[in-house]
CSV table of all heavy atoms in Angstrom, one decimal:
chain,number,residue,atom,x,y,z
A,286,GLU,N,-23.8,19.8,20.5
A,286,GLU,CA,-23.0,20.3,21.6
A,286,GLU,C,-21.5,19.8,21.4
A,286,GLU,O,-20.6,20.5,21.8
A,286,GLU,CB,-23.5,19.7,23.0
A,286,GLU,CG,-24.8,20.3,23.4
A,286,GLU,CD,-25.4,19.7,24.7
A,286,GLU,OE1,-24.7,18.8,25.2
A,286,GLU,OE2,-26.5,20.0,25.1
A,287,GLN,N,-21.3,18.7,20.8
A,287,GLN,CA,-20.0,18.2,20.6
A,287,GLN,C,-19.3,18.9,19.4
A,287,GLN,O,-18.1,19.2,19.4
A,287,GLN,CB,-20.0,16.7,20.3
A,287,GLN,CG,-20.4,15.9,21.5
A,287,GLN,CD,-20.5,14.4,21.2
A,287,GLN,OE1,-21.6,13.9,20.8
A,287,GLN,NE2,-19.5,13.7,21.5
A,288,ALA,N,-20.1,19.1,18.3
A,288,ALA,CA,-19.6,19.8,17.1
A,288,ALA,C,-20.8,20.3,16.3
A,288,ALA,O,-21.6,19.5,15.9
A,288,ALA,CB,-18.8,18.8,16.3
A,289,PRO,N,-20.9,21.6,16.1
A,289,PRO,CA,-22.0,22.2,15.4
A,289,PRO,C,-21.9,22.0,13.9
A,289,PRO,O,-21.9,23.0,13.1
A,289,PRO,CB,-22.0,23.7,15.8
A,289,PRO,CG,-20.5,23.9,16.0
A,289,PRO,CD,-19.9,22.7,16.5
A,290,TYR,N,-22.0,20.8,13.4
A,290,TYR,CA,-21.8,20.6,11.9
A,290,TYR,C,-23.1,20.9,11.2
A,290,TYR,O,-24.2,20.7,11.7
A,290,TYR,CB,-21.4,19.1,11.7
A,290,TYR,CG,-20.0,18.8,12.1
A,290,TYR,CD1,-19.7,17.6,12.7
A,290,TYR,CD2,-19.0,19.8,12.0
A,290,TYR,CE1,-18.4,17.3,13.1
A,290,TYR,CE2,-17.7,19.5,12.4
A,290,TYR,CZ,-17.4,18.3,13.0
A,290,TYR,OH,-16.1,18.0,13.4
A,291,THR,N,-23.0,21.3,10.0
A,291,THR,CA,-24.1,21.7,9.1
A,291,THR,C,-25.1,20.5,9.0
A,291,THR,O,-26.3,20.7,9.0
A,291,THR,CB,-23.7,22.2,7.8
A,291,THR,OG1,-22.8,23.3,8.0
A,291,THR,CG2,-24.8,22.6,6.9
A,292,SER,N,-24.6,19.3,8.7
A,292,SER,CA,-25.4,18.2,8.5
A,292,SER,C,-26.3,17.9,9.7
A,292,SER,O,-27.5,17.5,9.5
A,292,SER,CB,-24.6,16.9,8.2
A,292,SER,OG,-23.9,17.1,7.0
A,293,THR,N,-25.8,18.1,10.9
A,293,THR,CA,-26.6,17.8,12.1
A,293,THR,C,-27.6,18.9,12.2
A,293,THR,O,-28.8,18.6,12.6
A,293,THR,CB,-25.7,17.8,13.3
A,293,THR,OG1,-24.5,17.0,13.1
A,293,THR,CG2,-26.4,17.3,14.5
A,294,ILE,N,-27.3,20.2,11.9
A,294,ILE,CA,-28.3,21.3,12.0
A,294,ILE,C,-29.4,21.0,11.0
A,294,ILE,O,-30.6,21.2,11.4
A,294,ILE,CB,-27.6,22.6,11.7
A,294,ILE,CG1,-26.6,22.9,12.8
A,294,ILE,CG2,-28.6,23.7,11.6
A,294,ILE,CD1,-25.7,24.2,12.5
A,295,ILE,N,-29.1,20.6,9.8
A,295,ILE,CA,-30.1,20.4,8.8
A,295,ILE,C,-31.0,19.2,9.2
A,295,ILE,O,-32.2,19.2,9.1
A,295,ILE,CB,-29.5,20.1,7.4
A,295,ILE,CG1,-28.9,21.5,6.9
A,295,ILE,CG2,-30.5,19.6,6.4
A,295,ILE,CD1,-28.1,21.3,5.6
A,296,ALA,N,-30.3,18.1,9.8
A,296,ALA,CA,-31.1,16.9,10.2
A,296,ALA,C,-32.1,17.4,11.3
A,296,ALA,O,-33.3,16.9,11.3
A,296,ALA,CB,-30.2,15.9,10.7
A,297,LEU,N,-31.7,18.2,12.2
A,297,LEU,CA,-32.6,18.7,13.3
A,297,LEU,C,-33.7,19.6,12.7
A,297,LEU,O,-34.9,19.5,13.0
A,297,LEU,CB,-31.8,19.4,14.3
A,297,LEU,CG,-32.5,19.8,15.6
A,297,LEU,CD1,-33.1,18.6,16.3
A,297,LEU,CD2,-31.6,20.6,16.5
A,298,GLY,N,-33.3,20.4,11.7
A,298,GLY,CA,-34.3,21.3,11.0
A,298,GLY,C,-35.3,20.5,10.3
A,298,GLY,O,-36.5,20.8,10.3
A,299,GLN,N,-34.9,19.4,9.7
A,299,GLN,CA,-35.9,18.5,8.9
A,299,GLN,C,-36.9,17.9,9.9
A,299,GLN,O,-38.1,17.8,9.6
A,299,GLN,CB,-35.1,17.5,8.2
A,299,GLN,CG,-34.4,18.0,7.0
A,299,GLN,CD,-33.4,17.0,6.3
A,299,GLN,OE1,-33.1,16.0,7.0
A,299,GLN,NE2,-33.0,17.3,5.1
A,300,LEU,N,-36.4,17.5,11.1
A,300,LEU,CA,-37.2,16.9,12.1
A,300,LEU,C,-38.3,17.9,12.6
A,300,LEU,O,-39.5,17.6,12.7
A,300,LEU,CB,-36.4,16.4,13.2
A,300,LEU,CG,-37.0,15.4,14.2
A,300,LEU,CD1,-37.4,14.1,13.4
A,300,LEU,CD2,-35.9,15.0,15.3
A,301,VAL,N,-37.8,19.1,12.9
A,301,VAL,CA,-38.7,20.2,13.4
A,301,VAL,C,-39.7,20.6,12.3
A,301,VAL,O,-40.9,20.8,12.6
A,301,VAL,CB,-37.9,21.4,13.9
A,301,VAL,CG1,-38.8,22.5,14.3
A,301,VAL,CG2,-37.1,21.0,15.1
A,302,HIS,N,-39.2,20.6,11.1
A,302,HIS,CA,-40.1,21.0,10.0
A,302,HIS,C,-41.2,20.0,9.8
A,302,HIS,O,-42.4,20.4,9.7
A,302,HIS,CB,-39.2,21.0,8.7
A,302,HIS,CG,-40.0,21.4,7.5
A,302,HIS,ND1,-39.5,21.2,6.2
A,302,HIS,CD2,-41.2,22.0,7.3
A,302,HIS,CE1,-40.3,21.6,5.3
A,302,HIS,NE2,-41.4,22.1,6.0
A,303,GLN,N,-40.9,18.8,9.9
A,303,GLN,CA,-41.9,17.7,9.8
A,303,GLN,C,-42.9,17.7,10.9
A,303,GLN,O,-44.1,17.5,10.7
A,303,GLN,CB,-41.2,16.4,9.7
A,303,GLN,CG,-42.2,15.2,9.4
A,303,GLN,CD,-41.4,13.9,9.3
A,303,GLN,OE1,-40.2,13.8,9.4
A,303,GLN,NE2,-42.2,12.8,9.2
A,304,ARG,N,-42.5,18.0,12.1
A,304,ARG,CA,-43.3,17.9,13.3
A,304,ARG,C,-44.1,19.3,13.6
A,304,ARG,O,-45.2,19.3,13.9
A,304,ARG,CB,-42.5,17.5,14.5
A,304,ARG,CG,-43.3,17.2,15.7
A,304,ARG,CD,-42.5,16.8,16.9
A,304,ARG,NE,-41.7,18.0,17.4
A,304,ARG,CZ,-40.4,17.9,17.5
A,304,ARG,NH1,-39.7,16.9,17.2
A,304,ARG,NH2,-39.7,19.0,17.9
A,305,GLU,N,-43.4,20.4,13.4
A,305,GLU,CA,-43.9,21.7,13.9
A,305,GLU,C,-44.1,22.7,12.7
A,305,GLU,O,-44.7,23.8,13.0
A,305,GLU,CB,-43.0,22.3,14.9
A,305,GLU,CG,-42.8,21.4,16.2
A,305,GLU,CD,-41.9,22.0,17.2
A,305,GLU,OE1,-42.1,23.2,17.5
A,305,GLU,OE2,-41.1,21.3,17.7
A,306,GLY,N,-43.7,22.4,11.5
A,306,GLY,CA,-44.0,23.3,10.4
A,306,GLY,C,-42.7,24.1,10.0
A,306,GLY,O,-41.7,24.1,10.7
A,307,VAL,N,-42.9,24.7,8.9
A,307,VAL,CA,-41.7,25.4,8.3
A,307,VAL,C,-41.3,26.6,9.1
A,307,VAL,O,-40.0,26.9,9.1
A,307,VAL,CB,-42.1,25.8,6.8
A,307,VAL,CG1,-43.2,26.9,6.8
A,307,VAL,CG2,-40.9,26.3,6.1
A,308,ASP,N,-42.2,27.4,9.7
A,308,ASP,CA,-41.8,28.6,10.4
A,308,ASP,C,-40.9,28.2,11.6
A,308,ASP,O,-39.9,28.9,11.9
A,308,ASP,CB,-43.0,29.4,10.8
A,308,ASP,CG,-43.7,30.0,9.6
A,308,ASP,OD1,-43.0,30.3,8.6
A,308,ASP,OD2,-44.9,30.2,9.7
A,309,LYS,N,-41.2,27.2,12.3
A,309,LYS,CA,-40.4,26.7,13.5
A,309,LYS,C,-39.0,26.3,13.0
A,309,LYS,O,-38.0,26.5,13.7
A,309,LYS,CB,-41.1,25.6,14.2
A,309,LYS,CG,-42.3,26.1,15.1
A,309,LYS,CD,-41.7,26.8,16.3
A,309,LYS,CE,-42.8,27.2,17.3
A,309,LYS,NZ,-42.3,28.0,18.4
A,310,ALA,N,-39.0,25.6,11.8
A,310,ALA,CA,-37.7,25.2,11.3
A,310,ALA,C,-36.9,26.4,10.9
A,310,ALA,O,-35.7,26.4,11.1
A,310,ALA,CB,-38.0,24.3,10.1
A,311,ILE,N,-37.5,27.4,10.3
A,311,ILE,CA,-36.8,28.6,10.0
A,311,ILE,C,-36.2,29.3,11.2
A,311,ILE,O,-35.0,29.7,11.2
A,311,ILE,CB,-37.7,29.6,9.2
A,311,ILE,CG1,-38.0,29.1,7.8
A,311,ILE,CG2,-37.1,31.0,9.2
A,311,ILE,CD1,-39.1,29.9,7.1
A,312,GLU,N,-37.0,29.3,12.3
A,312,GLU,CA,-36.5,29.9,13.5
A,312,GLU,C,-35.3,29.2,14.1
A,312,GLU,O,-34.3,29.8,14.5
A,312,GLU,CB,-37.6,29.9,14.5
A,312,GLU,CG,-37.3,30.5,15.9
A,312,GLU,CD,-38.5,30.5,16.9
A,312,GLU,OE1,-39.6,30.3,16.4
A,312,GLU,OE2,-38.2,30.6,18.1
A,313,LEU,N,-35.4,27.8,14.1
A,313,LEU,CA,-34.3,27.0,14.6
A,313,LEU,C,-33.0,27.1,13.7
A,313,LEU,O,-31.9,27.4,14.2
A,313,LEU,CB,-34.7,25.5,14.6
A,313,LEU,CG,-33.6,24.5,14.9
A,313,LEU,CD1,-33.2,24.6,16.4
A,313,LEU,CD2,-34.1,23.1,14.6
A,314,ILE,N,-33.2,27.0,12.4
A,314,ILE,CA,-32.0,27.1,11.5
A,314,ILE,C,-31.4,28.4,11.5
A,314,ILE,O,-30.1,28.6,11.6
A,314,ILE,CB,-32.4,26.7,10.1
A,314,ILE,CG1,-32.9,25.2,10.0
A,314,ILE,CG2,-31.2,26.8,9.1
A,314,ILE,CD1,-31.9,24.2,10.5
A,315,GLY,N,-32.2,29.5,11.5
A,315,GLY,CA,-31.7,30.9,11.6
A,315,GLY,C,-30.8,31.1,12.8
A,315,GLY,O,-29.8,31.7,12.8
A,316,GLU,N,-31.4,30.6,14.0
A,316,GLU,CA,-30.6,30.8,15.2
A,316,GLU,C,-29.3,30.0,15.2
A,316,GLU,O,-28.3,30.6,15.6
A,316,GLU,CB,-31.5,30.3,16.4
A,316,GLU,CG,-30.8,30.4,17.7
A,316,GLU,CD,-31.7,29.8,18.8
A,316,GLU,OE1,-32.9,29.5,18.6
A,316,GLU,OE2,-31.2,29.6,19.9
A,317,ARG,N,-29.3,28.8,14.7
A,317,ARG,CA,-28.1,28.0,14.6
A,317,ARG,C,-27.0,28.6,13.7
A,317,ARG,O,-25.8,28.6,13.9
A,317,ARG,CB,-28.4,26.6,14.2
A,317,ARG,CG,-29.2,25.8,15.3
A,317,ARG,CD,-28.3,25.5,16.4
A,317,ARG,NE,-29.0,24.8,17.6
A,317,ARG,CZ,-28.4,24.3,18.6
A,317,ARG,NH1,-27.1,24.4,18.8
A,317,ARG,NH2,-29.1,23.8,19.6
A,318,LEU,N,-27.5,29.1,12.5
A,318,LEU,CA,-26.6,29.7,11.5
A,318,LEU,C,-26.0,31.0,12.0
A,318,LEU,O,-24.9,31.3,11.5
A,318,LEU,CB,-27.3,29.8,10.2
A,318,LEU,CG,-27.6,28.5,9.4
A,318,LEU,CD1,-28.3,28.9,8.1
A,318,LEU,CD2,-26.4,27.7,9.2
A,319,ARG,N,-26.6,31.7,12.8
A,319,ARG,CA,-26.0,32.9,13.4
A,319,ARG,C,-24.8,32.6,14.1
A,319,ARG,O,-23.8,33.3,14.1
A,319,ARG,CB,-27.0,33.7,14.3
A,319,ARG,CG,-27.9,34.6,13.5
A,319,ARG,CD,-28.6,35.6,14.5
A,319,ARG,NE,-29.6,34.9,15.3
A,319,ARG,CZ,-30.9,34.7,15.0
A,319,ARG,NH1,-31.3,35.1,13.8
A,319,ARG,NH2,-31.7,34.1,15.8
A,320,ALA,N,-24.8,31.5,14.8
A,320,ALA,CA,-23.6,31.1,15.6
A,320,ALA,C,-22.6,30.4,14.7
A,320,ALA,O,-21.3,30.6,14.9
A,320,ALA,CB,-24.0,30.1,16.7
Side-chain angles (χ1 to χ4, degrees):
E286 289 175 4
Q287 293 176 274
Y290 291 145
T291 300
S292 295
T293 313
I294 294 171
I295 291 175
L297 189 58
Q299 290 169 342
L300 197 62
V301 172
H302 180 196
Q303 183 179 358
R304 189 182 66 236
E305 301 179 43
V307 66
D308 290 333
K309 283 291 184 180
I311 288 173
E312 183 181 339
L313 171 71
I314 297 299
E316 180 184 346
R317 291 287 173 175
L318 289 183
R319 273 195 291 272

